[in-house]
Amino acid sequence: MKIAILGAMVEEITPLLSFFGNHHKVSYAGNDYYEAHYKGIDLVIAYSKIGKVNAALTASALLMHFGCEKLIFSGVAGAVSPELKIGDLVIASSLCQHDVDITAFGHPFGFIPESKHFIPSDERLNGVAKGVAQSKGIALKEGIIATGDQFIADSLKKEWIRKTFNADALEMEGASVAVVCDTLGVPFCVLRAISDAADMEAGFSFDEFLVSSAKVSAEFVIGMLDRL
Ligand SMILES: Nc1ncnc2c(CN3C[C@H](CCSCCOCCO)[C@@H](O)C3)c[nH]c12
């Protein structure tokens, strides 16, 4: 089994590279891909750089060039649900693009013709995550994650996203990774730990909690590998 673990920022995969110390770097199409092995699983670990375009390119390479058969995204997110606090884990039930707008033609926000409005994650992978959470006594919220090419640091924008998509968390890559995996028929899940509340303090909070929240997500993903 060959599994991809993808982040957007180097901080999101650093804990993974430390854990899987014996890795081999392959540079390809503008990214560095780290190959490792863990309990009989071949791993390819990478970070895409920020945003939907970068994430789509790296996810495509992981699947089409490296032949990964499952993809797990690990990283941080902004909280939309008031239940979610810094460090809390959320796994996507489905993902949408909050910055897609062809409503002029009567389509809902986030909808592109011939595409899915909300892309569902792989239920089996989500089930594995729930099993890990239960066995470790860790709270794991499953909910809608909204993706867009904007760092949201504004309660009004955050509230619009919550209202429009019933979102629980937001970030900048998940839905684009979801489109790539769903289109190519590769099971995926998107796991995120909260780094901020996507409000006017978001920038400061993100700077303070990026590293610690990225570690929470990465450690949880490692726990999932033991159950795949
Ligand atoms: N509120 C929020 N809005 C949108 N996304 C997020 C995420 C999830 N990731 C973090 C990162 C933020 C990119 S900002 C650039 C920081 O550069 C710092 C050094 O220049 C991007 O990859 C998306 C956490 N909180 C968010």
Side-chain angles (χ1 to χ4, degrees):
M1 172 61 67
K2 194 167 197 181
I3 295 178
I5 307 180
L6 176 61
M9 298 179 77
V10 66
E11 292 86 348
E12 292 171 323
I13 69 161
T14 302
L16 295 162
L17 298 181
S18 306
F19 183 85
F20 302 113
N22 183 18
H23 45 69
H24 167 66
K25 185 173 96 171
V26 175
S27 296
Y28 173 77
N31 283 122
D32 291 334
Y33 296 85
Y34 299 88
E35 297 177 321
H37 302 281
Y38 180 68
K39 296 188 177 176
I41 300 173
D42 293 327
L43 293 172
V44 186
I45 301 163
Y47 75 94
S48 59
K49 300 189 286 293
I50 289 162
K52 292 192 287 176
V53 174
N54 287 320
L57 172 61
T58 312
S60 301
L62 283 164
L63 305 189
M64 294 197 270
H65 182 73
F66 288 90
C68 294
E69 300 156 86
K70 293 186 194 309
L71 185 148
I72 300 173
F73 189 101
S74 179
V76 301
V80 177
S81 161
E83 289 170 34
L84 290 171
K85 304 289 175 250
I86 302 291
D88 283 356
L89 279 164
V90 58
I91 191 161
S93 53
S94 66
L95 300 103
C96 59
Q97 296 183 66
H98 66 69
D99 58 352
V100 164
D101 176 352
I102 51 171
T103 54
F105 299 91
H107 298 299
F109 284 104
F111 180 76
I112 292 172
E114 301 178 87
S115 305
K116 295 178 182 173
H117 192 185
F118 291 84
I119 302 103
S121 301
D122 181 64
E123 286 181 9
R124 192 185 162 280
L125 280 172
N126 279 24
V128 168
K130 288 176 203 167
V132 170
Q134 205 154 29
S135 67
K136 294 189 171 187
I138 299 173
L140 175 66
K141 184 168 181 65
E142 184 179 39
I144 292 169
I145 292 183
T147 302
D149 280 321
Q150 301 151 3
F151 183 81
I152 305 297
D154 173 339
S155 298
L156 291 179
K157 267 193 188 176
K158 163 182 162 175
E159 196 44 35
W160 179 82
I161 290 170
R162 190 196 61 73
K163 188 166 53 58
T164 309
F165 300 98
N166 191 27
D168 287 300
L170 56 81
E171 30 90 311
M172 297 176 70
E173 297 85 18
S176 88
V177 171
V179 169
V180 170
C181 293
D182 186 62
T183 303
L184 298 176
V186 173
F188 75 94
C189 67
V190 176
L191 187 86
R192 298 268 186 170
I194 300 301
S195 56
D196 58 274
D199 57 10
M200 63 187 292
E201 303 296 321
F204 301 107
S205 179
F206 176 79
D207 284 341
E208 186 178 354
F209 296 107
L210 165 61
V211 171
S212 55
S213 291
K215 193 161 179 283
V216 168
S217 181
E219 286 173 352
F220 191 90
V221 166
I222 292 164
M224 286 179 68
L225 296 177
D226 291 328
R227 287 167 167 251
L228 284 185

